Amino acid sequence: MNGILTQEKSIYLQISEMIETDILRDILLEEERVPSTNELAKIYAINPATAAKGINVLVDSGILYKKRGIGMFVAAGAKEQILKRRKEAFYNDFIKKLLHEAASIGLDKEQVIQMIRLGEEKQSSKRREG
Amino acid sequence: METIVCSKVCKQYGTKQVLKEIDLTLEKGKIYGLIGRNGAGKTTLLSILSSQNPLSSGTVTWNGEAIWENQHALNHICFSRELSPNLIGNNGNNMKIKEYLNIASYYYPNWDKKMAQDLVEKFELNIKQKISKLSKGMLSMVTIIVALASKADFTFLDEPVAGLDIVIREYFYKRLLEEYMETGRTFVISTHIIEEASDLFEEVIVIKKGELLLKENTQELLSRAFRISGLSEVVDQMTNGYKKYHEEQIGRRKSVTIFLKGKEELPKEYDVTIQPLNLQSIFISLCGMEE
């Protein structure tokens, strides 16, 4: 678990996203137990009902599953599923906003594409220097 | 389920109406945040809910039994009042922390002596010190110890973090959660440091000038409050039909807070900036000064 809770998003969504990110980064592995509602509540000093809501979002989407009397576990295939969903969300969360912002400051499509290429080059040269 | 129900509670001091027809139900197993401006009636409400203060009219019941002078009911309720150096005892209080905790241990039938001792150590208090010599923060520590160690099913804390440094505040929040998760006790906590405590509260109770303004699940309240800003006319069009709070206008730019109802969604077709609000900003929107 890492990251700090901010005010921009509801706490329970931040909790579920943090667990997802930990799964993507192999901090939490598939078929492994995730921190309990009470553990999360204590770590982040939040109401356990809110922590439970964050966990339930992931149970509903099949990322986590419950083992009776033991706790919540990362489902098999969870990582792949999170990746797939994040890719879908990428369009809504980033591309749409990017285009909207670009239009409002008068950047045309070509300029935006050029910037993306520039960003790409910088990233790969940074990686080479690594 | 165990509850405290407060119905049409009014309180008058002379001609001043401090509480107006308060209807409120507190359920077992929840942490409530009680917020309101100075003088809104928070302390009066808590003292009435714990029968430390007579009400002018209305009723307060615990599991259906009136709580006034009802020791059986009051055994389940603890109101750890804010201490002041000269409030207790006969002029210039000479009571020591140790003696004060000792009295509390007789008053609350489920008193947890070990927990009280542990907290005294954690807070690095000297129990031989006199209450009258304590700093503001140390007085808060003593009220926290009484509240937690009382083990009462319904425990009310009046500004427990006033004067405490951030390390002790964080420790208190975690300790409170721990106790809550172990026991399922109900806590009502009044505070002016809203933002850092807001995530503790399952529900938030707002009182304004003696009236109950709202009582709602904190996360639900947060999810329906928005601050809309942009070109004045566009903001007006978009927020048409909503009650507007905390309107601010600078030149052509207008900002306003609105609350959606239930599952309503924000209209999307307007070119405005939409910001979700934290509890502190919601509170300012609801209870801020009118200009």
Side-chain angles (χ1 to χ4, degrees):
Chain A
M1 293 295 130
N2 51 18
I4 27 169
L5 304 179
T6 63
Q7 289 155 358
E8 278 131 49
K9 227 177 229 175
S10 47
I11 298 295
Y12 74 93
L13 285 179
Q14 291 182 54
I15 293 289
S16 58
E17 275 179 22
M18 218 144 35
I19 293 172
E20 281 188 349
T21 304
D22 280 1
I23 294 171
L24 287 181
R25 287 178 181 159
D26 289 332
I27 295 170
L28 292 169
L29 302 176
E30 290 179 4
E31 299 299 347
E32 211 171 56
R33 192 181 79 87
V34 301
S36 70
T37 300
N38 283 2
E39 284 165 337
L40 289 170
K42 231 191 123 186
I43 296 170
Y44 296 107
I46 57 173
N47 193 291
T50 313
K53 212 171 160 189
I55 297 259
N56 285 340
V57 170
L58 296 176
V59 172
D60 290 344
S61 59
I63 302 292
L64 301 181
Y65 69 96
K66 190 177 185 172
K67 276 191 193 171
R68 196 173 276 255
I70 311 178
M72 293 294 175
F73 285 74
V74 181
K79 196 172 166 180
E80 203 178 317
Q81 198 191 328
I82 295 165
L83 267 179
K84 189 172 162 247
R85 205 148 36 77
R86 289 231 173 150
K87 280 178 190 165
E88 284 162 11
F90 188 77
Y91 174 73
N92 276 321
D93 295 347
F94 296 96
I95 301 299
K96 267 192 181 170
K97 274 188 198 143
L98 180 128
L99 292 175
H100 183 261
E101 174 69 6
S104 75
I105 57 175
L107 284 173
D108 65 30
K109 195 175 119 197
E110 276 314 308
Q111 286 169 304
V112 173
I113 291 172
Q114 217 180 338
M115 281 183 180
I116 290 174
R117 289 216 177 94
L118 185 70
E120 236 173 15
E121 277 165 30
K122 279 198 175 158
Q123 274 227 321
S124 57
S125 69
K126 214 187 262 171
R127 233 175 271 141
R128 273 198 300 278
E129 285 161 20
Chain B
M1 195 200 306
E2 221 178 299
T3 53
I4 289 183
V5 179
C6 158
S7 140
K8 296 222 177 321
V9 164
C10 296
K11 178 69 185 178
Q12 235 161 307
Y13 289 118
T15 54
K16 190 170 164 37
Q17 182 113 35
V18 184
L19 293 177
K20 296 167 198 160
E21 305 232 330
I22 303 273
D23 287 319
L24 186 67
T25 299
L26 300 175
E27 291 168 8
K28 179 85 196 296
K30 282 189 178 171
I31 303 178
Y32 295 92
L34 174 62
I35 58 179
R37 295 196 38 205
N38 293 325
K42 301 185 294 294
T43 306
T44 305
L45 178 63
L46 293 177
S47 66
I48 285 174
L49 287 175
S50 54
S51 194
Q52 291 188 9
N53 192 351
L55 36 69
S56 305
S57 63
T59 56
V60 179
T61 57
W62 167 84
N63 281 358
E65 298 176 26
I67 64 163
W68 185 250
E69 293 186 340
N70 175 350
Q71 196 52 48
H72 173 240
L74 293 176
N75 282 344
H76 298 264
I77 303 169
C78 165
F79 175 28
S80 189
R81 270 176 177 276
E82 223 181 343
L83 278 175
S84 83
N86 46 19
L87 191 76
I88 328 158
N90 29 16
N91 339 312
N93 174 33
N94 278 322
M95 204 187 281
K96 292 173 179 155
I97 294 180
K98 195 169 138 186
E99 292 158 344
Y100 185 73
L101 293 179
N102 208 23
I103 292 173
S105 77
Y106 291 119
Y107 197 79
Y108 299 106
N110 298 317
W111 183 258
D112 185 338
K113 197 175 171 194
K114 241 179 94 192
M115 181 190 272
Q117 274 169 351
D118 179 50
L119 285 166
V120 164
E121 276 169 38
K122 291 279 171 6
F123 291 152
E124 297 178 3
L125 287 171
N126 173 6
I127 52 168
K128 296 198 183 93
Q129 244 189 326
K130 289 177 181 161
I131 300 276
S132 59
K133 299 279 187 259
L134 298 183
S135 70
K136 176 106 182 106
M138 291 180 194
L139 291 168
S140 292
M141 292 173 190
V142 175
T143 64
I144 286 173
I145 295 173
V146 170
L148 291 178
S150 77
K151 289 276 173 178
D153 293 336
F154 289 86
T155 303
F156 310 147
L157 292 107
D158 197 9
E159 292 207 48
V161 298
L164 294 180
D165 69 59
I166 180 67
V167 175
I168 298 286
R169 295 207 298 275
E170 288 282 313
Y171 179 76
F172 163 66
Y173 298 139
K174 292 199 174 180
R175 192 75 195 240
L176 175 87
L177 276 171
E178 217 172 279
E179 175 64 11
Y180 166 71
M181 291 186 287
E182 269 171 33
T183 62
R185 292 164 66 184
T186 297
F187 291 96
V188 182
I189 298 158
S190 83
T191 186
H192 290 298
I193 310 184
I194 297 170
E195 212 30 54
E196 65 178 32
S198 70
D199 299 330
L200 297 176
F201 305 148
E202 183 165 349
E203 287 189 31
V204 56
I205 300 163
V206 182
I207 57 174
K208 182 181 184 179
K209 293 180 180 161
E211 286 180 73
L212 180 75
L213 204 62
L214 68 86
K215 173 177 177 278
E216 187 173 347
N217 178 288
T218 314
Q219 298 303 317
E220 277 162 28
L221 176 65
L222 289 171
S223 71
R224 65 188 189 90
F226 295 95
R227 187 127 184 102
I228 316 285
S229 37
L231 190 66
S232 191
E233 294 85 53
V234 180
V235 170
D236 281 341
Q237 274 171 32
M238 176 171 170
T239 57
N240 188 21
Y242 288 100
K243 188 162 181 208
K244 297 180 189 71
Y245 296 87
H246 198 209
E247 278 191 67
E248 281 177 325
Q249 177 122 25
I250 306 169
R252 292 192 191 86
R253 180 192 172 82
K254 185 186 242 182
S255 300
V256 53
T257 297
I258 59 164
F259 293 87
L260 300 181
K261 289 165 207 108
K263 298 273 169 208
E264 249 175 19
E265 289 209 11
L266 274 174
K268 285 210 174 84
E269 60 276 23
Y270 297 95
D271 188 19
V272 292
T273 305
I274 298 167
Q275 287 173 293
L277 294 179
N278 60 26
L279 191 59
Q280 180 164 298
S281 309
I282 291 175
F283 177 69
I284 294 171
S285 288
L286 291 172
C287 298
M289 291 190 211
E290 280 128 45
E291 281 167 27

